[in-house]
Amino acid sequence: MAAGVATWLPFARAAAVGWLPLAQQPLPPAPGVKASRGDEVLVVNVSGRRFETWKNTLDRYPDTLLGSSEKEFFYDADSGEYFFDRDPDMFRHVLNFYRTGRLHCPRQECIQAFDEELAFYGLVPELVGDCCLEEYRDRKKENAERLAEDEEAEQAGDGPALPAGSSLRQRLWRAFENPHTSTAALVFYYVTGFFIAVSVIANVVETIPCRGPARRPPREQPCGDRFPLAFFCMDTACVLIFTGEYLLRLFAAPSRCRFLRSVMSLIDVVAILPYYIGLFVPKNEDVSGAFVTLRVFRVFRIFKFSRHSQGLRILGYTLKSCASELGFLLFSLTMAIIIFATVMFYAEKGTNKTNFTSIPAAFWYTIVTMTTLGYGDMVPSTIAGKIFGSICSLSGVLVIALPVPVIVSNFSRIYHQNQRADKRRAQQKVRLARIRLAKSGTTNAFLQYKQNGGLEDSSSGEEQALCVRNRSAFEQQHHHLLHCLEKTTCHEFTDELTFSEALGAVSLGGRTSRSTSVSSQAVGPGSLLSSCCPRRAKRRAIRLANSTASVSRGSMQELDTLAGLRRSPAPQSRSSLNAKPHDSLDLNCDSRDFVAAIISIPTPPANTPDESQPSSPGGGGGASSTLRNSSLGTPCLLPETVKISSL
Amino acid sequence: MGAVMGTFSSLQTKQRRPSKDIAWWYYQYQRDKIEDELEMTMVCHRPEGLEQLEAQTNFTKRELQVLYRGFKNECPSGVVNEETFKQIYAQFFPHGDASMYAHYLFHAFDITQTGSVKFEDFVTALSILLRGTVHEKLRWTFNLYDINKDGYINKEEMMDIVKAIYDMMGKYTYPVLKEDTPRQHVDVFFQKMDKNKDGIVTLDEFLESCQEDDNIMRSLQLFQNVM
């Protein structure tokens, strides 16, 4: 449970006095309090440095090493203190967490060492307080990246070994993605690069005017028209190579849909399409204009170089991520252009033989002036025009020069900020998940406690399961409180699964009123769950077990993100089979007989003889559960297999 | 030229330091304003001496010490407000919504209706609830139920309280909570408590009815050993 809640327990329990007059049944007796020693000072010796603290302080977080009974393993009876052979400087932060509820991250220490200490003392890294969380995560990420880079650099030397027997497809894809892995791939890489260069140069060269053959007026025509065959052959060769490469990539791609949608493949397609379209388009005058336009697209072949150049890719990504700033720049420029163009047009309207024939025509002047180009093809002649023209050029400097550095710094700031915002969103999700988990952990702690027969009379002392006895005093009292609430309202806490089943049972037209109908009704869901279909029961039980998160010690740590960090078994609920079937508790509630059927998978060892279905200990990792077999208060209809408990 | 200036200035800005543009200054100004407001509302309250509290309540010195240490840790300013009450209760009863009950509880603790509960109020109420006589406990409970503190409990007030208690159970209960369950509960309660059937319960009726009920008498002893 979260910080300091233990301190408020007396208050919460006292406030339960308010329920008493409303309770329609007698409330359960309070758990017996062990000899209350009062608060005492514990001495924790960490590698020679002694820390002293109240016992209550450590008890605040019962699911950590210092707050639970695990610290008894480190107790030194001779000196009467708890000895830990760990770093005392780090321990200071851990102890401060107990005192203040916030875990701070030391600035000078290695983040890896800090993590190890946290893992040892049973604290999850999510507990790092807000003030230090960002820095902690940044440093951790840096560390991880550095390690990853080192690994990569190591690996890149030898090249990752492909599993033997990989298909041709996989080898081909790998050759395409990492050209340095084999000589063939390298050769292919350079050949394609060469042909891209050749194609681009050919496109450029075929427009250069070459001196034609001796004609009466020596006419200059572009080389492309002079040597059409040569250029056509070169073009064909390049396109053939590009087509071949594209088809090979398509074949080798692990996910063809994704490959088809990727930018690089689109560029490839755009690079080779014009040629094929040109092949099929007849060479008549009408469409040759369009055909000529198509040739423009051949310049896109230059973008194929981005596969060969890391820098181009980074630039592309930069522009993409900076798009909104660029958009804003464009927008503000457009506004300024329109304003000034309008003004210049109306200022120059009177002059005859003026270049400012319309506002769009004035756009050109405005753009050229604002970007300080000043071609001089359009010049204002009136005085007003000149005044506004100078204002235009001065403001142009401002309008352009101001956003550009802002964009540049914005880009760098926004880029990092976006990363941080994503991190924060992910953290938020994790945090909400943690809170939900802690909540469900508490809920399930109580439900688990009920399952394990914690609600029995404490008179049957020895037979009471170990799990019930091993709970901390705080948990005992908290569960007693929840039990009191149940009795006050004549309703029980259940989990979602049983609730939806009960809902279904009710909607099936059953009303829980008389005992006979109750038992037949009870068997209804019960039999569905259990004996008639033992396998289904197991499956359902698996689902149940998986849905109830592991309780107590493991509750805070069963986050998905921390899978594998610390799978501490829940000591309390492990060997938690009831020795005796759970006897029915008498309820004085007005003519209500309810049945709670909670079924789960047994874990070894099975003490009870009437335990049926000793299925293999299947249950989910931390969430151990027991197969509930308890006698019915009402006549038992399926004696040999499952008995449903009636509470 | 703009591009040159841009790259030059970008080389200057470090990544960690926020760029000091207008937006940043505005944000700082806002933050300072908020901090000033916070300063004014930060109240530090110290309780009276330990001996006095010991005399006024039924706790021993050690118990008061433990209580105060916990209290001070959670509320360094020395007072608890309603929000904190609600949060505490939400942690104890995660299944459902404990805020309404916490609200009524807060107003029962806050005798002087100042909007915040000091340590003395806290300890006084705890003393009654844990160490008080049956009479005192029942009187405190009556005060809790009497939301408008007019000396009478009517059906609406009881409905509110019962509804708040049922809210704490949450959604997933067995059997399924029906709409009129609270109302039925209130009717049963009034049948028992309202002796002269006039629709309201006075303190005397309440005390009398509770003392006749064995269950309630027994349950009142339950929370004795909380410390």
Side-chain angles (χ1 to χ4, degrees):
Chain A
M1 256 208 197
V5 172
T7 30
W8 296 106
L9 182 65
F11 150 67
R13 296 194 65 210
V17 168
W19 307 334
L20 297 184
L22 287 170
Q24 294 168 350
Q25 319 150 35
L27 294 187
V33 167
K34 301 184 287 242
S36 50
R37 291 173 301 185
D39 213 0
E40 53 171 352
V41 173
L42 295 181
V43 179
V44 179
N45 183 345
V46 183
S47 299
R49 206 186 301 176
R50 279 187 178 68
F51 295 88
E52 301 183 10
T53 177
W54 293 109
K55 186 173 187 303
N56 275 356
T57 313
L58 294 182
D59 284 343
R60 281 204 199 124
Y61 296 95
D63 48 359
T64 57
L65 186 154
L66 289 170
S68 67
S69 55
E70 194 181 341
K71 65 176 183 280
E72 301 304 323
F73 284 102
F74 298 93
Y75 184 68
D76 180 8
D78 302 327
S79 48
E81 53 191 27
Y82 294 89
F83 182 78
F84 292 97
D85 196 8
R86 311 281 304 188
D87 186 355
D89 293 322
M90 296 288 204
F91 186 74
R92 191 170 64 86
H93 297 281
V94 169
L95 194 54
N96 275 340
F97 168 64
Y98 286 89
R99 292 178 179 140
T100 62
R102 266 187 296 274
L103 182 62
H104 294 283
C105 170
R107 297 288 151 107
Q108 319 85 289
E109 305 283 350
C110 169
I111 209 78
Q112 197 86 310
F114 185 64
D115 263 350
E116 282 164 16
E117 293 299 309
L118 287 187
F120 178 81
Y121 290 107
L123 301 174
V124 272
E126 266 64 27
L127 290 171
V128 175
D130 287 336
C131 40
C132 298
L133 186 60
E134 204 169 318
E135 164 142 0
Y136 171 76
R137 287 207 175 243
D138 284 345
R139 282 169 65 187
K140 226 174 146 190
K141 191 155 171 248
E142 261 180 51
N143 225 5
E145 280 171 3
R146 209 174 308 134
L147 285 175
E149 274 176 22
D150 289 343
E151 266 184 36
E152 248 184 60
E154 262 181 45
Q155 277 186 3
D158 346 349
L162 262 192
S166 54
S167 67
L168 172 67
R169 215 176 131 180
Q170 285 175 333
R171 272 184 289 145
L172 211 53
W173 182 248
R174 189 165 144 265
F176 278 134
E177 294 300 298
N178 308 313
H180 353 276
T181 45
S182 71
T183 30
L186 210 56
V187 162
F188 183 75
Y189 175 76
Y190 281 126
V191 161
T192 41
F194 172 72
F195 271 98
I196 296 174
V198 159
S199 160
V200 168
I201 291 175
N203 282 347
V204 165
V205 162
E206 76 180 358
T207 57
I208 298 177
C210 319
R211 196 73 58 92
R215 282 189 199 214
R216 234 40 43 78
R219 215 157 52 119
E220 294 209 344
Q221 55 173 189
C223 286
D225 290 344
R226 187 145 181 256
F227 306 103
L229 197 58
F231 280 103
F232 181 73
C233 288
M234 214 170 331
D235 209 21
T236 312
C238 293
V239 167
L240 277 177
I241 300 230
F242 296 152
T243 319
E245 180 204 353
Y246 180 71
L247 289 174
L248 274 179
R249 276 183 203 264
L250 189 61
F251 165 68
S255 154
R256 300 227 170 96
C257 293
R258 203 157 54 93
F259 174 74
L260 282 176
R261 284 186 303 210
S262 72
V263 175
M264 289 312 303
S265 85
L266 282 177
I267 291 178
D268 289 341
V269 167
V270 166
I272 57 181
L273 260 187
Y275 176 82
Y276 287 110
I277 296 182
L279 274 188
F280 296 118
V281 159
K283 263 212 168 41
N284 56 353
E285 292 306 311
D286 300 336
V287 288
S288 71
F291 174 64
V292 163
T293 325
L294 273 181
R295 296 175 122 209
V296 168
F297 284 98
R298 290 187 302 173
V299 80
F300 276 92
R301 285 178 198 165
I302 208 170
F303 283 113
K304 285 167 71 77
F305 267 129
S306 56
R307 270 214 188 91
H308 299 250
S309 153
Q310 180 83 332
L312 263 182
R313 278 208 292 268
I314 290 179
L315 180 65
Y317 180 70
T318 304
L319 287 175
K320 196 162 60 137
S321 64
C322 202
S324 66
E325 309 317 293
L326 288 175
F328 171 69
L329 170 63
L330 207 61
F331 177 68
S332 64
L333 266 182
T334 313
M335 260 178 39
I337 287 172
I338 293 178
I339 292 174
F340 277 109
T342 315
V343 166
M344 290 306 296
F345 172 70
Y346 283 111
E348 290 286 307
K349 201 156 185 258
T351 330
N352 48 358
K353 283 206 290 224
T354 182
N355 279 334
F356 296 81
T357 50
S358 65
I359 294 187
F363 280 170
W364 175 242
Y365 168 77
T366 321
I367 294 177
V368 165
T369 315
M370 282 181 84
T371 52
T372 68
L373 277 176
Y375 288 135
D377 52 350
M378 284 167 79
V379 170
S381 34
T382 59
I383 298 196
K386 286 189 178 151
I387 293 177
F388 286 117
S390 40
I391 296 177
C392 176
S393 73
L394 287 175
S395 67
V397 171
L398 284 177
V399 169
I400 297 220
L402 271 185
V404 167
V406 172
I407 282 184
V408 170
S409 76
N410 254 10
F411 159 67
S412 114
R413 186 164 56 94
I414 288 175
Y415 182 68
H416 290 287
Q417 238 183 39
N418 265 348
Q419 283 192 330
R420 235 172 264 140
D422 286 337
K423 264 191 287 180
R424 228 174 280 134
R425 246 175 273 132
Q427 286 166 23
Q428 191 68 14
K429 272 191 238 163
V430 165
R431 241 175 244 187
L432 286 178
R434 171 176 38 119
I435 291 171
R436 260 197 310 257
L437 201 67
K439 270 182 73 161
S440 74
T442 334
T443 322
N444 292 316
F446 183 57
L447 291 176
Q448 195 89 337
Y449 162 60
K450 282 204 315 190
Q451 276 180 46
N452 298 331
L455 300 181
E456 283 181 30
D457 237 345
S458 47
S459 53
S460 60
E462 308 121 31
E463 278 134 14
Q464 215 176 28
L466 260 166
C467 67
V468 172
R469 262 183 294 162
N470 272 351
R471 291 167 313 134
S472 65
F474 172 71
E475 269 191 25
Q476 276 183 6
Q477 296 184 358
H478 184 227
H479 291 165
H480 173 247
L481 200 57
L482 291 172
H483 195 201
C484 288
L485 184 59
E486 282 185 339
K487 282 290 157 69
T488 312
T489 55
C490 283
H491 287 68
E492 280 186 8
F493 292 110
T494 59
D495 60 353
E496 223 170 308
L497 201 61
T498 23
F499 174 71
S500 41
E501 279 162 15
L503 213 48
V506 164
S507 67
L508 277 177
R511 289 208 66 246
T512 62
S513 48
R514 291 300 126 204
S515 47
T516 46
S517 60
V518 161
S519 50
S520 60
Q521 169 109 73
V523 171
S527 62
L528 257 179
L529 287 174
S530 53
S531 59
C532 299
C533 324
R535 265 201 329 198
R536 219 197 289 179
K538 231 198 292 180
R539 241 179 288 139
R540 212 181 262 254
I542 293 174
R543 243 191 322 143
L544 180 67
N546 284 341
S547 66
T548 61
S550 161
V551 297
S552 66
R553 192 76 204 273
S555 66
M556 289 273 278
Q557 289 144 3
E558 295 287 335
L559 284 178
D560 291 340
T561 56
L562 302 175
L565 180 65
R566 210 177 143 93
R567 270 207 190 265
S568 57
Q572 281 95 328
S573 31
R574 191 92 69 92
S575 57
S576 57
L577 295 181
N578 269 347
K580 246 183 5 189
H582 180 101
D583 279 332
S584 58
L585 283 176
D586 250 6
L587 289 184
N588 297 344
C589 212
D590 311 327
S591 73
R592 273 199 234 200
D593 226 353
F594 25 86
V595 174
I598 304 177
I599 309 265
S600 29
I601 303 177
T603 54
N607 293 341
T608 54
D610 21 332
E611 208 85 19
S612 75
Q613 301 186 9
S615 36
S616 58
S624 65
S625 355
T626 66
L627 184 65
R628 238 38 251 303
N629 290 310
S630 321
S631 55
L632 261 179
T634 55
C636 198
L637 293 170
L638 300 156
E640 69 281 1
T641 42
V642 173
K643 299 163 200 163
I644 301 162
S645 73
S646 86
L647 293 168
Chain B
M1 186 196 72
V4 170
M5 279 177 54
T7 41
F8 187 63
S9 63
S10 76
L11 285 177
Q12 307 261 348
T13 44
K14 295 250 183 301
Q15 289 167 4
R16 300 270 167 138
R17 236 187 343 188
S19 59
K20 308 241 194 256
D21 54 4
I22 295 180
W24 186 83
W25 286 115
Y26 185 65
Y27 164 69
Q28 288 288 59
Y29 166 68
Q30 292 287 51
R31 227 183 46 181
D32 292 337
K33 240 178 35 163
I34 293 172
E35 273 171 8
D36 287 338
E37 288 171 5
L38 275 181
E39 286 282 351
M40 295 191 300
T41 55
M42 184 81 83
V43 157
C44 203
H45 177 87
R46 289 195 179 77
E48 324 162 352
L50 196 49
E51 284 83 14
Q52 275 173 299
L53 276 179
E54 194 189 357
Q56 285 171 4
T57 65
N58 302 332
F59 288 121
T60 66
K61 264 210 182 125
R62 281 201 79 91
E63 292 169 335
L64 282 174
Q65 279 179 341
V66 170
L67 276 176
Y68 187 68
R69 275 207 300 273
F71 185 85
K72 180 85 176 167
N73 226 347
E74 291 311 301
C75 313
S77 58
V79 294
V80 194
N81 54 9
E82 194 170 329
E83 264 317 299
T84 321
F85 254 50
K86 290 189 174 165
Q87 282 169 11
I88 293 166
Y89 251 62
Q91 284 174 340
F92 277 108
F93 299 99
H95 314 78
D97 177 23
S99 57
M100 278 322 289
Y101 191 67
H103 169 81
Y104 296 129
L105 209 56
F106 183 79
H107 285 284
F109 266 75
D110 186 14
I111 311 165
T112 45
Q113 300 298 321
T114 52
S116 61
V117 170
K118 303 190 290 293
F119 183 65
E120 292 98 329
D121 303 331
F122 181 68
V123 146
T124 317
L126 273 190
S127 161
I128 295 178
L129 287 171
L130 298 179
R131 304 283 162 90
T133 65
V134 164
H135 197 86
E136 287 174 347
K137 288 184 190 172
L138 288 175
R139 190 127 49 99
W140 192 89
T141 314
F142 183 85
N143 192 34
L144 171 68
Y145 293 163
D146 183 13
I147 299 179
N148 55 2
K149 315 285 179 235
D150 61 353
Y152 304 107
I153 306 178
N154 51 13
K155 272 210 171 162
E156 284 75 30
E157 291 173 336
M158 214 51 228
M159 246 332 260
D160 288 338
I161 297 268
V162 169
K163 188 116 197 349
I165 294 182
Y166 272 92
D167 280 343
M168 279 200 288
M169 290 292 296
K171 204 164 69 142
Y172 301 124
T173 59
Y174 194 95
V176 181
L177 263 181
K178 300 201 192 44
E179 281 302 313
D180 57 347
T181 315
R183 174 149 292 282
Q184 285 176 2
H185 205 134
V186 173
D187 290 334
V188 166
F189 177 79
F190 259 78
Q191 258 176 359
K192 202 165 53 161
M193 298 284 163
D194 193 7
K195 296 285 181 202
N196 55 0
K197 308 291 173 212
D198 59 352
I200 51 178
V201 178
T202 64
L203 179 58
D204 300 318
E205 288 176 343
F206 184 74
L207 290 175
E208 211 183 305
S209 322
C210 286
Q211 276 161 344
E212 286 167 3
D213 188 340
D214 280 333
N215 275 343
I216 296 182
M217 287 294 111
R218 238 193 330 226
S219 315
L220 277 175
Q221 307 307 318
L222 270 183
F223 299 97
Q224 205 73 348
N225 56 352
V226 165
M227 285 308 297

